[in-house]
Amino acid sequence: MPQNPEKIQDHVELFHQPEYKQLFQNKKQFENGHEAEEVERVAEWTKSWDYREKNFAREALTVNPAKACQPLGAIFAAVGFEGTLPFVQGSQGCVSYFRSHLTRHYKEPFSGVSSSMTEDAAVFGGLQNMIDGLANSYQLYKPKMIAVCTTCMAEVIGDDLQSFINNAKEAGSVPQDFPVPYAHTPSFVGSHITGYDNMMKGILSNLTAGHKKETSNGKINFIPGFDTYVGNNREIKRIASLFGLDYTLLADNSDYLDSPNTGEFDMYPTATKLEDAADSINAIATIALQSHSTLKTREYIQKEWKQPTAVCRPWGIKGTDELLMKISELSGLPIPEELENERGRAVDAMTDSHSWIHGKRFAIFGEPDLVYCVVGFMLEMGAEPVHILVHNSNDVFEAEMKELLASSPFGRNATLWPGKDLWHMRSLMFTEPVDFLVGNTYGKYLWRDTKIPLVRIGYPIMDRHHLHRYATIGYQGIINLLNWTVNTLFEEIDRNTNTPSKTDISYDLIR
């Protein structure tokens, strides 16, 4: 039968057509499913305290851990450097997952290659894959640097990246002086923030080798960490420019992940220049904007560069104040009046929205730095954290989070849930409900089940567009965080009061 292209339907409507409904109904006879009444009974049971106890007793199963694996963080770090091609020593399927995950968040193509390891490499090792892969990558894609990381397969069989890269250079795959930094990033330990840290350390140690000078270059380095809001890189550059500060951003992937559509494809948009990264060893100091995704990198900078480091997480008023005062202290420059005015506008916005957020109970999940920063901001607004779930937690994070909670009267009823997953969070939200949930797109299923509104903050956000383009740091970031939070609450109020003559007595025109 001829098809009419003008009647092509979106999948949202397509699968509600009679033929698809019949198809789904026919499938059920092969699924050996239970009767609808039994499914409903079990579904209700999973909302109970009895089920919660059984859920929290499990040990051998993880259901949606709210973290990604190391290589994803590694390739994210790599593209912040000029002309850099991420190279994954592993199978094609692995790198396809990393690329697609980032592409779905940013709606931008994310380039990365693999050494295409298969069964023979698993037996004999991946040396030849490395030799051929580096040669092909160098010839085909003309990068200025190739950053290599590993997957589970390469780590299990024990591939030695330094040796393999040396052999590949000896074989002529790339010139001897061509930078090929690397990081071992096994997916079965750590998480995406570990991979980011490992790759950042690997790149900086490679590029800065032999570049230490007797005198400082007068700059301050900034390391964003695994921060998926491209607006934050632009905000830190704007703040530094307002100071008149000479700085280096290690590394700037904002144009790579949010590139302009000019009609011509640019595989390597503007990023941190390799020579600037090489000279970062001579800076006055390095400021990391995250703690847990820069741990090894900061230790390396302190030990090998003999350079002081600081952690300033500029979310909320207190965090932003601390960053600006640290910049002023290190540079000797006064805090610009424009930033003081922005602070006043942020405080004014917080005052406007305060009554709607104050006293609200919330749950949150995500990686350590993000969760710490969001909780800090929410405490400034008088919101009360109840469930704080971080799968890739650690003792340092838990200690600093407890200190943060103890610093505010609104933090006294919070419980930390380290190492737990989103199926645990589901039980928590049914048995101890909250007013709103903060997290990434995967929280959407919790919203559907529990009817608790979701404030989308974090990575990945794949079911909403453009949120990654905004800033969450600085005084302007405060207003964005307020916008997402308070307007989510307003939308929920409207949903609960929109039935004419029944619930609409509070369907207000003015909030």
Side-chain angles (χ1 to χ4, degrees):
M1 179 182 294
Q3 302 294 314
N4 185 347
E6 295 183 358
K7 293 186 177 180
I8 294 176
Q9 293 180 313
D10 183 87
H11 69 92
V12 174
E13 299 173 346
L14 177 65
F15 295 118
H16 292 283
Q17 301 306 306
E19 59 268 33
Y20 282 99
K21 288 184 176 181
Q22 186 62 51
L23 175 65
F24 296 144
Q25 188 64 35
N26 292 342
K27 284 179 60 181
K28 290 185 177 181
Q29 63 182 306
F30 303 105
E31 294 175 350
N32 296 317
H34 294 279
E35 295 297 325
E37 293 78 9
E38 177 64 6
V39 172
E40 180 64 23
R41 184 191 70 80
V42 173
E44 285 301 311
W45 174 63
T46 64
K47 303 174 184 179
S48 68
W49 279 90
D50 178 54
Y51 180 81
R52 170 172 162 170
E53 291 178 4
K54 292 177 171 57
N55 187 12
F56 275 72
R58 62 183 160 92
E59 298 178 357
L61 174 68
T62 297
V63 184
N64 202 341
K67 70 181 178 85
C69 55
Q70 283 206 51
L72 185 143
I75 67 174
F76 178 83
V79 298
F81 293 90
E82 175 189 23
T84 298
L85 179 66
F87 182 104
V88 180
Q89 177 75 346
S91 70
Q92 290 179 334
C94 288
V95 73
S96 295
Y97 158 70
F98 310 139
R99 291 171 56 190
S100 64
H101 208 258
L102 289 160
T103 295
R104 288 167 179 169
H105 176 80
Y106 288 105
K107 309 300 184 278
E108 293 279 350
F110 195 103
S111 299
V113 298
S114 80
S115 56
S116 301
M117 293 174 65
T118 53
E119 292 85 349
D120 58 342
V123 176
F124 301 107
L127 174 57
Q128 193 58 49
N129 297 74
M130 176 74 75
I131 292 172
D132 294 339
L134 288 180
N136 292 336
S137 300
Y138 182 73
Q139 293 297 327
L140 287 173
Y141 302 117
K142 308 293 190 267
K144 293 186 176 182
M145 181 168 75
I146 298 175
V148 179
C149 63
T150 54
T151 63
C152 297
M153 180 191 295
E155 289 296 325
V156 168
I157 64 178
D159 281 357
D160 183 343
L161 292 186
Q162 182 64 74
S163 174
F164 282 16
I165 292 168
N166 291 341
N167 285 330
K169 288 187 173 183
E170 289 294 332
S173 297
V174 296
Q176 285 288 345
D177 60 351
F178 184 81
V180 186
Y182 67 89
H184 285 278
T185 52
S187 298
F188 44 78
V189 295
S191 67
H192 56 292
I193 65 172
T194 318
Y196 176 95
D197 195 13
N198 287 336
M199 180 55 81
M200 187 60 65
K201 176 187 173 185
I203 290 174
L204 293 180
S205 60
N206 180 286
L207 293 178
T208 60
H211 287 272
K212 183 67 174 176
K213 297 178 181 178
E214 295 295 326
T215 57
S216 168
N217 60 19
K219 296 182 178 181
I220 294 176
N221 300 322
F222 294 99
I223 304 178
F226 188 87
D227 186 338
T228 54
Y229 289 91
V230 295
N232 285 346
N233 282 357
R234 290 168 180 157
E235 181 65 8
I236 198 66
K237 290 188 288 185
R238 187 184 71 88
I239 289 173
S241 296
L242 289 173
F243 268 96
L245 184 70
D246 204 359
Y247 68 96
T248 302
L249 189 58
L250 299 170
D252 186 6
N253 54 19
S254 53
D255 283 351
Y256 186 97
L257 300 169
D258 184 27
S259 57
N261 188 341
T262 63
E264 295 184 6
F265 175 66
D266 182 2
M267 190 168 182
Y268 306 110
T270 304
T272 300
K273 292 185 178 299
L274 299 187
E275 55 264 32
D276 289 339
D279 193 38
S280 63
I281 192 173
N282 300 306
I284 298 171
T286 294
I287 299 176
L289 305 183
Q290 290 187 356
S291 174
H292 301 281
S293 65
T294 62
L295 178 62
K296 293 179 182 178
T297 303
R298 286 184 287 114
E299 288 178 349
Y300 165 77
I301 290 172
Q302 291 170 349
K303 181 179 179 181
E304 301 298 330
W305 295 6
K306 310 299 182 186
Q307 188 179 114
T309 67
V311 175
C312 295
R313 292 176 279 202
W315 292 56
I317 291 292
K318 182 175 183 291
T320 303
D321 287 352
E322 289 175 351
L323 174 65
L324 300 189
M325 288 188 289
K326 176 59 70 173
I327 292 174
S328 181
E329 173 193 331
L330 292 171
S331 66
L333 298 169
I335 296 175
E337 182 180 0
E338 183 172 341
L339 292 176
E340 293 183 357
N341 290 335
E342 287 180 12
R343 187 185 194 277
R345 283 191 288 271
V347 171
D348 183 63
M350 294 170 73
T351 304
D352 293 341
S353 301
H354 180 262
S355 61
W356 293 99
I357 300 177
H358 177 85
K360 291 292 189 295
R361 292 158 45 87
F362 71 95
I364 185 171
F365 68 90
E367 61 257 15
D369 284 298
L370 178 96
V371 167
Y372 180 89
C373 291
V374 174
V375 169
F377 165 74
M378 292 295 179
L379 290 174
E380 290 182 340
M381 293 300 298
E384 300 178 10
V386 177
H387 308 301
I388 301 173
L389 189 149
V390 177
H391 187 86
N392 51 341
S393 182
N394 57 65
D395 292 341
V396 174
F397 165 74
E398 290 162 32
E400 68 179 6
M401 179 56 73
K402 289 176 181 177
E403 183 179 356
L404 175 64
L405 294 170
S407 70
S408 168
F410 306 114
R412 62 181 178 271
N413 294 321
T415 302
L416 301 181
W417 299 102
K420 302 305 180 184
D421 58 41
L422 294 192
W423 196 249
H424 291 114
M425 178 65 89
R426 181 179 182 273
S427 284
L428 293 171
M429 291 172 65
F430 272 125
T431 53
E432 297 179 85
V434 293
D435 295 304
F436 65 95
L437 170 68
V438 179
N440 61 38
T441 284
Y442 291 102
K444 183 174 188 171
Y445 297 101
L446 296 174
W447 163 78
R448 181 181 65 180
D449 283 359
T450 66
K451 305 299 186 268
I452 293 172
L454 171 65
V455 181
R456 287 169 171 81
I457 300 175
Y459 171 86
I461 297 176
M462 300 181 288
D463 66 329
R464 296 292 186 271
H465 285 205
H466 309 301
L467 294 182
H468 66 273
R469 301 178 193 272
Y470 290 85
T472 59
I473 67 171
Y475 302 125
Q476 294 192 355
I478 290 171
I479 296 174
N480 292 328
L481 294 169
L482 279 173
N483 177 17
W484 300 331
T485 304
V486 75
N487 287 329
T488 296
L489 296 177
F490 288 158
E491 288 167 7
E492 184 66 11
I493 292 172
D494 285 349
R495 272 194 294 269
N496 293 329
T497 59
N498 64 2
T499 305
S501 302
K502 291 184 178 180
T503 65
D504 66 338
I505 191 169
S506 295
Y507 193 68
D508 294 339
L509 189 64
I510 301 170
R511 299 284 186 199

